[in-house]
Amino acid sequence: MSSSTRCMSQTATRPASLAQTGRVSQAASGLSVSLVLRRLSIRLTAGPRHNCSITRRPRLRTKRSLPVLASSARADEPSLVRQSRPSWNYKLGAVYQHFLPGPLLFLPSLLQPISTIISLEGALHGHEWVHWLLSLLPVPQVVMQFPVLDLVNVLYQQHLDLANGVLDAAISLAGIYFSFVLMPAMDAVLGTDLHPKTLAERKAASEDMRYRALLWTWVGLHCGMLALCADAVHGHNMHPLACLGLMLSLGAEGALGFVVSHELVHGHHKMDQWLANVMLCTTGYMHWSVSHIAHHTQVATVDDPASARLGESLYHFVPRSVAGNWKDAAAIEIARLHAHHHSPLSVHNRMFMWAAAPLAMLAVMSSAFGPEGMTMCVGQAALSVLMLEAANYVQHYGLQRCRLPNGR
């Protein structure tokens, strides 16, 4: 019998008080046991006298230190997963930032109002564009190769007005194509910015007058497009399908206008606040400039109307969020009035402006462009709010947390 085996046997016959300690090293000694303990970690399980069970602990393997691919030099910067090798789309994004440095990086956002101009012209003359393009092609030869086009040609000859309306509607959706096709494609091609700025640098960039001028220009273009679209549906014999497509494109532009309004609401210039109200007035959502501030403090809590509950449908979330935003804005405004010792019925109550300004805008639209122009204005506002709440639904769905001790 080897020395290590004798030591184990003697250890097993020790009183239970020693066995319960769980380590053989406290009951045995010797060089051979030390060598065994270096290879095995032997644990004695307390049981009947002269019986013990010896189990081998799994070897604990130390994790190799992996190279850090993502780290933040400052505590106020988000942790981003950095790629070891820049991908092809990241390189394209770097070229894009080289030619459009600083605030000019957001210059392509002006393509949204431009796409609405294409939608407007397409709603008026889309079928004429298609006819002109087809006149340049060998149409009979193409139709003979694709029998489906032959069927479409027959239907076009029998229902000319409907076919022209469908063509106009297809081109009037240019704003939708830009928002839901071209913009995501541009994001995929240009890639993610793997070198974000610090909070101080981002704040300085947001205060750059070139950036503010871009936001102010965007608001002016949107208001101009709203008036042009209202005039188009009033003064031209536009097909109903084309009107619907134009309304959808204008609504997509208004939804992007909430992003512009968000930047203006958080701005420090007087012009920022004024233009934010003008932009929100076109969507009938002026109270959002105040309720959005409450959203920052209570996001993902049960008190936040803009955070969708787990299992809540979009159809239930949208009316709850719209009503909840009004409720939050009213509570903040009443608290502000009390702090300044003003009555809720005084002229200092901004809730009167939030309700009266959109109604006044509708009255002006109705008198200038008739019921068609007012319908266009109401429709694009409703679609803009719906797209905003749909974005809130996706971004905050299922998130829930408790309030912090500071009330946030």
Side-chain angles (χ1 to χ4, degrees), residues 17 51 76 190 234 359 397:
S17 60
N51 291 328
D76 57 357
L190 297 179
H234 171 66
L359 292 177
Y397 176 79

Side-chain angles (χ1 to χ4, degrees), residues 229-308:
C229 292
D231 178 68
V233 297
H234 171 66
H236 297 80
N237 187 20
M238 190 180 298
H239 195 276
L241 292 178
C243 290
L244 180 59
L246 182 59
M247 184 184 298
L248 289 172
S249 294
L250 197 57
E253 180 181 317
L256 185 59
F258 277 103
V259 180
V260 177
S261 301
H262 176 272
E263 297 299 310
L264 294 174
V265 164
H266 290 285
H268 301 290
H269 295 81
K270 293 183 179 180
M271 183 66 72
D272 290 347
Q273 306 301 322
W274 187 78
L275 288 178
N277 287 324
V278 171
M279 180 64 218
L280 293 174
C281 180
T282 62
T283 58
Y285 226 56
M286 295 184 68
H287 62 282
W288 186 80
S289 62
V290 174
S291 64
H292 178 72
I293 305 300
H295 167 70
H296 278 296
T297 61
Q298 60 189 15
V299 60
T301 63
V302 294
D303 299 325
D304 183 28
S307 296

Side-chain angles (χ1 to χ4, degrees), residues 67-263:
V68 179
L69 297 181
S71 63
S72 242
R74 296 171 55 92
D76 57 357
E77 295 183 14
S79 297
L80 300 176
V81 178
R82 298 184 183 274
Q83 302 176 4
S84 57
R85 294 183 179 179
S87 57
W88 63 271
N89 57 350
Y90 167 73
K91 295 179 180 179
L92 289 178
V95 174
Y96 169 77
Q97 293 182 0
H98 175 73
F99 285 101
L100 293 177
L104 298 179
L105 178 71
F106 304 98
L107 191 62
S109 63
L110 297 179
L111 293 176
Q112 179 72 64
I114 294 176
S115 68
T116 308
I117 296 177
I118 299 175
S119 298
L120 175 59
E121 293 299 321
L124 294 173
H125 311 290
H127 64 279
E128 298 176 3
W129 297 352
V130 174
H131 294 167
W132 178 75
L133 289 176
L134 292 178
S135 65
L136 302 178
L137 300 176
V139 179
Q141 290 81 356
V142 175
V143 171
M144 292 178 59
Q145 295 179 3
F146 300 95
V148 177
L149 295 181
D150 190 12
L151 177 62
V152 172
N153 188 29
V154 173
L155 294 177
Y156 193 88
Q157 294 176 358
Q158 295 179 358
H159 304 281
L160 179 62
D161 184 65
L162 177 61
N164 287 335
V166 171
L167 292 177
D168 292 343
I171 302 178
S172 68
L173 293 173
I176 296 294
Y177 305 148
F178 178 82
S179 297
F180 297 98
V181 179
L182 184 59
M183 286 182 64
M186 290 173 63
D187 286 339
V189 170
L190 297 179
T192 305
D193 184 8
L194 301 183
H195 299 286
K197 300 180 181 296
T198 62
L199 288 179
E201 292 172 340
R202 289 196 294 268
K203 184 178 180 180
S206 66
E207 295 298 328
D208 194 322
M209 286 306 300
R210 293 176 297 175
Y211 182 66
R212 316 314 299 178
L214 179 63
L215 298 175
W216 300 346
T217 303
W218 204 100
V219 175
L221 289 176
H222 176 71
C223 293
M225 286 308 306
L226 182 59
L228 288 176
C229 292
D231 178 68
V233 297
H234 171 66
H236 297 80
N237 187 20
M238 190 180 298
H239 195 276
L241 292 178
C243 290
L244 180 59
L246 182 59
M247 184 184 298
L248 289 172
S249 294
L250 197 57
E253 180 181 317
L256 185 59
F258 277 103
V259 180
V260 177
S261 301
H262 176 272
E263 297 299 310

Side-chain angles (χ1 to χ4, degrees), residues 23 36-43 54-57:
R23 295 188 182 278
V36 173
L37 290 179
R38 290 179 184 178
R39 300 188 178 212
L40 301 175
S41 179
I42 304 172
R43 176 168 296 177
I54 304 176
T55 59
R56 177 181 297 180
R57 291 182 181 176

